[in-house]
Amino acid sequence: MVGAGASPEYFFIKMTNLSPQRELEITHLWFDTNPRYDYTSSKRSLPKRLQPDETFEISIPVSEILDSDKPECKVRVQLSNGKIVKSRLNKKIPPVGRMGHEERS
């Protein structure tokens, strides 16, 4: 629970195209939780096409994810070819900070 005056907490989800030679397109993103949470923000909308080595990052308020059993491992991304990619927790990032590409209103 966030106290008065405290900043809200967010999940930061970074997607990177690791292919050295082809683009990929992200068409859907969701948390495979109960209930399921589908990402539908218009600020950083999908589909999103990524060039090789390009990243795309979004944030989702922790308060929107109701299932608290390891939600960081429950992110799913669907690519335009139908493949579904599961999330992996990145333990090398600081617990507090800003997104690499700030969301703009």
Side-chain angles (χ1 to χ4, degrees), residues 24 29 36 52 74 86:
L24 64 79
L29 182 141
R36 176 176 157 151
K74 295 182 178 179
K86 296 180 180 181

Side-chain angles (χ1 to χ4, degrees), residues 17 19 21-25 49-52:
N17 180 358
S19 171
Q21 55 197 355
R22 68 177 176 86
E23 296 179 359
L24 64 79
E25 185 175 40
R49 184 169 291 276
L50 297 177
Q51 302 294 322

Side-chain angles (χ1 to χ4, degrees), residues 15 25-31 36-40 45-48 56 58 75-80 82-85:
M15 295 148 276
E25 185 175 40
I26 299 164
T27 60
H28 297 82
L29 182 141
W30 68 95
F31 277 79
R36 176 176 157 151
Y37 175 88
D38 287 280
Y39 176 76
T40 58
S45 62
L46 298 176
K48 173 66 177 169
F56 177 66
I58 62 163
V75 177
R76 305 293 184 259
V77 173
Q78 184 169 350
L79 306 179
S80 59
K83 181 177 181 178
I84 295 176
V85 180

Side-chain angles (χ1 to χ4, degrees), residues 30-34 67 69-76 87:
W30 68 95
F31 277 79
D32 192 17
T33 54
N34 187 14
D67 182 345
D69 183 34
K70 296 186 180 181
E72 67 278 1
C73 298
K74 295 182 178 179
V75 177
R76 305 293 184 259
S87 61

